[in-house]
Amino acid sequence: MIKGFKNAVELDFSVEENRLKMEEAFRQVEAEKGKVYPLIIGGEKIETEKKITSLSPATKEVLGYASSCSRELADKAIQTADEAFLTWSRTPAEERIRCLKRLARLVEQNRFILDAWNVEESGKNWGEADGELCEALDFFNSYAMHMANLDKGLELIPTDEYTKCIYIPIGVGAIIPPWNFPLSICGGMITSALVTGNTVICKPSSDTPIVAYKFVELCLKAGFPEGTVNYIPGAGSEIGDYIVEHPRTRFINFTGSKAVGCRINENAAKVAEGQKWLKRVVAEMGGKNAIIVDSSADIKKAAEGIASSAFTFQGQKCSACSRALVMADVYDELVDEVVKCAKNLKENQGSGASNAPMGPVINKGAYDSITGYIEVARKEGTIVYGGTYSDETGYYIDPTVVRDVDKDARIANEEIFGPVLAIVKVNSFDEALEIANQTEYGLTGSVYSETRENIQKAKVEFQVGNLYFNRKSTAAVVLQHPFGGFNMSGTDAKTGTSDYLTNFLNLKSITEDLN
Ligand code: NAP
C-alpha cells in the first residue's frame, strides 16, 4: 500500500537558482511586513480591534498583526464548522482527497514564500524551514493515500447477510498547534481532520499566526469549502479553555507543552450541558530526550549526532537531545568532541544572517526561561562551552554544554526547550538505561553503540516512542519514522500513519438481513 509514496526532497540552497528565489521571497515578505491578518470564519474575513503582534525573534521587529478572537467569535466559528460538517462529512472521500492533493500542489507552488515567512516568524534557518515544508508535503500526501485506503472500510469475513464496516467522520475539531513547526504540525493537524471528513477551528500559536494564516488561505484556495476550516488566533489563556470545553467541540488535536496538554485533557473530560459525546483528545507533548553513548561507540559520530540533536533550531524541537548519558571511560573524549561540534554550529549566530546554523530562540519568555536554566546549570555542573547569551538585537543563546551533571539535577530532568545540553557520567549500560527512563517523558532517544547485546537490550527497555541507534534523535521522516511519544510526552499518535487518521473517525458496522 505504501508503494508509490515518495518523501519530498529538501531544496539545496547552495544552488544559485534556489538562493535567488529565496532572496526574492524575502523581498516579498519585507513588502508585506506590518499587515493586519483577519480571522477567517465561514470564509468571511473578520478584523477585530484586539490584535496579536507577531514579532521577529531575530530582530524583534513587527512582522504583522493577527486579529485576536473573542469567545463570542470562537463560538461563531464552532457553530459555523458544525454547520459545514453536515455537508462536508457526506462529501465523498474522493473529493476530500482531491482537495488535499490540490493543497499539496499549492504548497509546493508557494514553497519559497512559505519558507521565507517561516524563517522570519519562527527563527528557523532556510534548510530547517524547507525541511519542515517537506514534512508538511509528506503529511498531506500520506493522509491522502491513507484516506483512500480507509474509505474501503474494514475487511470482514463473508456471511449470508450483507455486511459493511465503514469509517465515518466525527465532528468539529479544535486544532491547537505549537509555534515550533508552524507549517507542518499545524498543517498536518488540520488536514488529517479535513480529509477524514471533519471540520475544524484552528487556534494557531500566538507566536506564529502569519504562517498559519497563509496556510489556511491555501486550504480555501485548494477547494476545502468555506466553514470547513476556520482560523481563529487568540491567546490560549483567553479562548483555549473555551474552545476545548465547548459542547459542540467533538475532538481536540493538540501539540505543545505537557502543562497545557494536561489541562486540555482534564477540561475535555468534563461533559458540558448539551454535549452528546465524550471528547477525543490527541495530545502530543514535551520531551527530555536522552542519547546514550557506550564504550564501544564511534565517539566522533556520537558527538556529531548529539550536537546536531541538541542545538539545531536552537534545541527547540520536541525531539531534541537535552541529556547525554556517557560511559565513564569515553566521557572526557566525548565531551571534547561535542564542544568542537558546538563551536562549529555557533558560526554566524547572532549575525542576523537568516541562514546561520543556529538562530534566535522564539521570544522573550523562552529567552528568560532558558537563560534561567543556564544559571541553574552553573550550580548543577560545569559549563564547558557557551553559557553566554544576549537579547540586544534578537533572542540569542549560545549552544551550551554542561558536564559533570548529576542524574537527578533539574537540568537533567526538566524540559528546557533551548540549546542546553547536560552530560551525565554513567558506569554501566544498565545505569544509562535506568537514567534514560527516569523522567516522566518518553518521546525520543538514541543509543550510540557497536555492542549488539546493548542494542538488543535498549530495543526492549528504552521507553520512548521513537528510538534510534547510531543516529541522531531528531529529523524523523514521515512513513520512515512514525512520530509520537509515550508517558507525559503524549498520546503516541504516530503522525503520518493511517492509525493517526483513525483518531478522527468512527467505525460504523452495517448489517442487512437478505432473507
Ligand atoms: P504551549 O505553550 O503548550 O502552546 C501550544 C498551544 O497551546 C498554543 O497554540 C497555545 O496558544 C495553546 N494554549 C495555551 N494555553 C491553552 C489553553 N489553556 N487551552 C488551549 N490551548 C492553549 O507549547 P509551545 O510553547 O507552543 O510549544 C513548545 C512545546 O511543544 C514543547 O513542550 C515541545 O516539546 C512541544 N512539542 C511537542 C511535539 C510532539 O510532537 N510531541 C511537537 C512540537 C512541540 P498560545 O500560543 O496563544 O499560548
Side-chain angles (χ1 to χ4, degrees), residues 39 48 50-53 66-71 74 175-177 201-209 231-244 254 260 263-264:
L39 314 178
T48 58
K50 191 169 173 194
K51 302 284 189 302
I52 294 169
T53 306
S67 291
S68 179
C69 187
S70 61
R71 289 181 177 195
I175 307 296
I176 309 179
I201 51 155
C202 172
K203 191 220 83 58
S205 160
S206 298
D207 287 304
T208 49
Y231 169 81
I232 54 162
S237 53
E238 287 169 26
I239 59 164
D241 291 354
Y242 182 79
I243 60 177
V244 168
F254 167 81
V260 175
R263 183 186 177 103
I264 287 175

Side-chain angles (χ1 to χ4, degrees), residues 76-113:
K76 181 180 158 94
I78 294 171
Q79 304 287 356
T80 303
D82 206 18
E83 275 163 38
F85 179 73
L86 293 175
T87 319
W88 184 243
S89 59
R90 290 167 190 191
T91 301
E94 201 180 278
E95 171 58 14
R96 304 191 312 245
I97 292 166
R98 193 190 65 77
C99 292
L100 185 50
K101 288 190 166 170
R102 170 119 180 83
L103 174 67
R105 199 63 64 76
L106 286 171
V107 166
E108 265 184 300
Q109 285 165 6
N110 288 276
R111 183 168 197 153
F112 290 91
I113 192 72

Side-chain angles (χ1 to χ4, degrees), residues 176-180 185 203-206 234-237 240-241 254-257 260 263-264 284-287 318 415 417 443 483 489:
I176 309 179
W179 57 266
N180 67 335
I185 293 188
K203 191 220 83 58
S205 160
S206 298
S237 53
D241 291 354
F254 167 81
T255 307
S257 62
V260 175
R263 183 186 177 103
I264 287 175
E284 295 306 298
M285 309 193 288
C318 54
E415 186 183 43
F417 217 55
L443 191 45
F483 195 79
S489 289

Side-chain angles (χ1 to χ4, degrees), residues 214-287:
K214 303 271 169 199
F215 177 72
V216 170
E217 266 197 324
L218 289 182
C219 288
L220 294 170
K221 201 168 166 191
F224 289 109
E226 291 174 350
T228 59
V229 50
N230 302 280
Y231 169 81
I232 54 162
S237 53
E238 287 169 26
I239 59 164
D241 291 354
Y242 182 79
I243 60 177
V244 168
E245 290 171 3
H246 197 289
R248 296 306 298 168
T249 297
R250 178 66 182 81
F251 65 95
I252 297 105
N253 193 355
F254 167 81
T255 307
S257 62
K258 177 199 140 193
V260 175
C262 289
R263 183 186 177 103
I264 287 175
N265 198 41
E266 192 178 335
N267 287 341
K270 293 178 216 150
V271 178
E273 205 172 321
Q275 185 182 317
K276 286 170 71 179
W277 41 66
L278 293 179
K279 292 174 186 175
R280 285 195 198 160
V281 177
V282 173
E284 295 306 298
M285 309 193 288

